[in-house]
Amino acid sequence: MGSGALPLILLMALVQSGLTQVKPVVKVKPDQHLFRGERVTLTCDIQRRGNTQWTYRWFRDGKSVYTSSTPTEGNPYYTTPKAAELSFTARVSLSGEYTCRGERSDSHTSDISDAVTLTASALPTSTLTVTPDRSVFTGETVNLNCVIKSDHSGWRYEWNKDGVKLQTSERYTVDGDTLTIRGAAESDQGQYWCRGRRAGRPNSSQSSSAVSLSVTERPKPALTVKPKPSQIFRGENVTLTCAVQGEGWRYGWRCDGRDYDSNEKEFKITADHTQMCLCISCRGSGSVSFCSDWSDEVTLTVSEAPKPKAVLSVKPEPSQIFRGENVTLTCAVQGEGWTYRWECDGKLHNSNEKEFKITADLTQMFKCKGCRGSRSGSGSGLFCSDSSDEVTLNVTDKPKPTVSVTPQSSVFTGDTVTLRCDMRSSTGWTFLWRKDSNPESSDDAGTKTLSSVSVSDGGTYVCRAQRGNYYTHDSNRVQITVRALFTERPKPVVRVHPDVRVFRGETVTLTCGIQEAGVWRYRWYKDQYDMRRQDQIYTIPSVDRSDAGVYICEGSQTEASQDTQRSDGVTLTVSDLKPKPELTSDPAGAALTGNTVTLTCGMGPSTGHWDFYWYKHTLNPETEKTDTNPYRLKIDSVSDGGQYWCRAGRGKPVYYTQYSDALWVNVPVSPKAVVTVRPDERVFRGETVTLRCDIKWGGDTEWTYRWEIEETNSRYKNTDGRTSTQELIISSVGDGHSGKYTCTGQMKTQHSQRSDAVTLTVSAGAQAVVRVSPQPWLTEGESGTLICEVSGSSKGWTFSWFRDHDHLSDSSRGAGGSYTLSPASLQHTGVYTCRAERGRPAYHTHNSSTQPLWVTGVSASVSLVIKPSRSQHFSSDSLALSCEDQSNSAGWTVRRYTDKDTKTCSIQTGSSCVIDSLSSSDTGVYWCESESGEKRRPRNITAHDGEVIVSSVDHVIEGETLTLHCLHRSTNPSILSAGFYKDGSLIQNQTTGEMSITTVSKSHEGFYYCKTERGASPRSWISVRVSRSAQNSGLKILSFLLAASPHLLATVVLLYKCYRA
C-alpha cells in the first residue's frame, strides 16, 4: 500500500475502538413554545450511530431529569425504552433549557447536546359579558358575548349553562362570538360560561368565569316626587324621579296625557297647576327594545295659597333672657323637606337646621326662612318661603331674686312664716331653697311656708331660680329667728342724730329702735315724764336749752299682748355758743409744687359727726364739701397758694358753725434735682463711680434722697450730723449697674421734682490706643506728635508714656493725651506705648499697642537704596535693598519692622538684602543699622495685593518738581486714565497715568494715592523739606544784621526773654 492509505487505516481503527466523540441533537415536537396542558416530546438523536446501542440521559437547566415509563403525580416525565424520547405535559414550572447525552454499555459517552429552551404559557383567557344586564325581565332579549384575548384567529365557541353544553335553537342563536336568548323566560336563569376551540395550536382557550343571569317579571317603575305632591306651592320647582330595577334604562314621561321629550331618570317642572303624571322605562333598540309597565299615576296638588311664611319661636321668652342662658330658636314652615336660613343682626349664619341654639350674650335680632329644592347655576332651582317676623332677644345681666318674709323675720314658736322668692315678671322658673348649709329643696311656686314653726326652723334662708340648665345668682340672705314663748322681753335703744351734744338751733332726731320684728306702738319719756308721743321717731326742729334732758322710750305690740322693757336713758346736752373750728396745715409753712398739703378743720373730739366746707381766697363762693376731715390739697402750681378757710355743718336743714380763721398757704416752685456722674456716664468694669444728687434750695432744711434705677427701686439715706449724704458710690462697677439713674429729694413730707435720667453704661476693660502724626519716621529737627486715646471715652483721663518699656518722666510733653517731639533728635527713636488712668482710687486702662518712631540724622553718610526705587510694590514682585555709605558700607545691615516684630532682612548679603517674592506681611519700615545700633534712613515699604500702586518718592525738597506714576500690576494694557488724590480729595485727572507738581511748597505735604477703573492704590506720605541753601541764606542774613546793629541784637535778646516769660 502506498503512504496515502495509512491515515485512513488509523481513522478506521479509532472508530472501531470508540475513541471518536459524537454530539447528539435534541428535537422538539410540537414546538419549543408550548401552551399549558399540551403534550411535548423531546428526541435525542445521535447521527451516524450505525448499529451501536445507545441509552440516553436527559438534563433540565443542567440537572438530571428522572424518568419513568409512565407519568406519576410526583414525576411528570416518562420515556420510551432506552430513553431516546422524553415526553411530558407542558406547564409553566417545567420551562427551562433541556439537553441530552448518549451512553454505551462499554462506558463510552457522547458529548452533551446543545440546549433547547422550552417555554410554557397559559391558554388564552375568555371573558363573558351580558347585555343589557345580568338581571333581565321576562320577554327581554339577552346577548352574551365571549371575548378571547389572543393573537390567534379561527376560533369557534362553546356555550355552557349550569355545566351543560348549549345547543342552538329558535330561542338560542349564535352569531360568531355572541349567543342571543330571545324572549327570556324564568327557565333561562342560571350560570353561563364560554370557551374557544380551533384547529391549530392553541386548540383551546381557558373557560370564562361563570356569569349568573336572573330573569324576573316585567318591572313597574316607582314614581317619587320631591317635595311631597300634596304640599307643593305655585312657582315651586318639583323633581319627579322614575326608579326601576336594573341598569341601562331610558325614560319616558307623561303628564295630563301629554308625552314629554325627556329620557332622563329625573324630570323637573315648575309647579303652575294641579296635574297627574306617570313614567315608563325602556332599554335596548330596534327589535330587541324592551319596556317596563307604566308607573302608578301621581297627582301633583298645587296649593292656591300664597307662598308660606316662616314662624319663629323662642324658648325661653325673648323678653326674659339673661346673659349666659341657653336659647333655642325654632323655625316652622308649612310642609316638609325644608332646610333653613338664619339671619342675626343682618348677617347670615352657617346653619341649615330647624332649631338654632345660642348662648345669650347681648341683645340681638333674629329672623328665618325655609328653602327646598336645589340651587342650580342661576339659583332658579331653589324655592324659599317668606322670612319670619323679626324677633328681638332682650338680654340682661344674670338676675338675682329677692326674698321677702311675711309677717316678719323674728317670730315665736307656733307662728306661721311665709318666704317668697321673687323673680319679678320673669316666668318659667323652678325655685331652689337652701337653709344654712342644708341641701337645696325645690318648688315651682316660688313660696316657702313654715307652719307652726319651732326653734329649729330658725336660720339663714336663701333662694335661687333655675330655668333649664341656667341658674340665677343667690338671693339676699334672710335670717329667721324663732323664740320660745315666755322669753325675756326685748329692750329698745334710743339713738340721737346728729349727736347727744348739740348746739342751740340744730335739728335733733331721736329714734326708738326695737330689734324684734312686729308692728309696734311707742311711748316717749323725758326726765321720767310721759311725752304722749307714739311715733318711733321724735324730731326737735330747732333745739333750745329747754330741750336738754334724759330721754327714754318703750314699745308694745299692736297684734299681741307684748310690751318691751324701757330703754336706757340718753342725755341730750344743748350748748348756747356756736362752735368755731380751727384750721391747721401739714406741713406748716411753705408747700412745694408737686406735693400735697393736708388741711385739718378741728372741731374737737366730743362734738359728733360733721360735714366740712372748704374755701380758698374768699369766703364766697363755697369751693368744696367733704364728709371727711382732713382735706388733702394737691399743690400743682404757685397759684394754689393763698388764704384758706373752713367751717362745719350737719343736719337737715344744715346747721353751720362759724368760719375758721384764715390760714395762709405759701407755695414756692418745687426745685428740680440734678444728677451728676464722676468720672463719666460711660465707664468701664471695675471703676469707682460716684453719682451725686444736687437740689438748689434757698432754705437750710436738710434733704434726704431717693434713688431710682430703671425699674428697680432702691433707697440710700445716710445722715452725718446736719448734713445729708447726697452721693451714691459704686466702688467697683459691673454690668449689672448699667441703667438709667434718677433721684428726688424729700424734706419732711414734701418732695423735689425728679431729676432727668442719667444713663450709666458699663463696658468691658478700657483700652488705650496710640497713633503718630504725621508719620512714624522723622529727620532730626522735624516735629512729630504721638497721640494717646481711650476707645469710646474722653473724660477725666491722664496719660503715661513709655519708650522701650521705660516710663517717660517729662509729663509736660504728654499733657492732654499727646506727646510732642519738637524738635526731634536721635535719642527719641524707639518703640512707644501709653496708658491712661482716672479716678480715686486710680483706674488704669490696658497698655496700648506699640508704636515705633524713627529719627535719623540730617547729614548721615549712609543711605538705604531701594530697587525699584519707590515705596509701593506689588505682592509677588522682587525687591532689592542695600545700605550704601559714602566712605565704607561695611558694618551696616538692613533691618525692618512689620506689624509683628523687628528683625533683619530675610536674605542678607553684606549690606544688601533681596526679597524674591513680596507678600503683604513684608509691609513695614526698613532702615540701615550699624553694628553699634545706630539707625539711619528709614523708608516705608508697602507690599500691595491689589491691582494698582502709586510710584513716588517719600520726600521732596521745597521748590522741586514732584512726579507721581499710577501703575497696574500688569503693564499690558498700560494705564491711560487715573485720578490722583491728596488727603482724600481729587486734585487731578490724567489720561497718561502720570501727574507732576512743579515748584512744591510745604502745603503740598500729605498723603497721596491714585485710583483707576481697576481699583485704588494704598496711601503714601510725601513730606516737603526746606532746602539747605535756603537755611544757610537765612542764617547769613541774620548774622549780617546782628553784626551791623548791636541795637538789633539787644532787641532779639529782649524778645527771647519776653517769649520765655
Side-chain angles (χ1 to χ4, degrees), residues 518-522 555-563:
V519 180
W520 298 92
R521 291 191 303 268
Y522 299 89
S556 60
Q557 285 268 12
T558 59
E559 298 178 359
S561 56
Q562 182 184 7
D563 293 330

Side-chain angles (χ1 to χ4, degrees), residues 673-689:
V674 176
V675 175
T676 56
V677 185
R678 294 196 311 272
D680 193 8
E681 294 176 21
R682 171 89 183 263
V683 294
F684 300 92
R685 250 186 253 137
E687 279 197 270
T688 296
V689 179

Side-chain angles (χ1 to χ4, degrees), residues 752-768:
S752 70
Q753 298 182 53
R754 185 181 305 283
S755 70
D756 293 331
V758 171
T759 300
L760 184 66
T761 304
V762 180
S763 304
Q767 177 65 54

Side-chain angles (χ1 to χ4, degrees), residues 124-199:
T125 59
S126 302
T127 304
L128 180 59
T129 60
V130 183
T131 57
D133 196 3
R134 296 185 184 186
S135 177
V136 296
F137 303 96
T138 54
E140 196 169 5
T141 297
V142 182
N143 291 319
L144 294 93
N145 181 249
C146 190
V147 178
I148 299 175
K149 187 175 182 181
S150 171
D151 295 332
H152 302 86
S153 60
W155 294 98
R156 63 184 185 278
Y157 298 87
E158 292 182 357
W159 301 91
N160 281 267
K161 173 179 177 287
D162 296 332
V164 178
K165 184 176 179 180
L166 285 173
Q167 303 296 324
T168 59
S169 65
E170 290 183 1
R171 294 184 58 244
Y172 289 88
T173 62
V174 176
D175 183 9
D177 60 355
T178 302
L179 171 66
T180 301
I181 305 173
R182 303 182 185 279
E186 290 186 7
S187 61
D188 294 321
Q189 294 187 129
Q191 298 285 328
Y192 290 79
W193 58 268
C194 70
R195 180 173 62 190
R197 295 284 189 180
R198 61 189 299 270

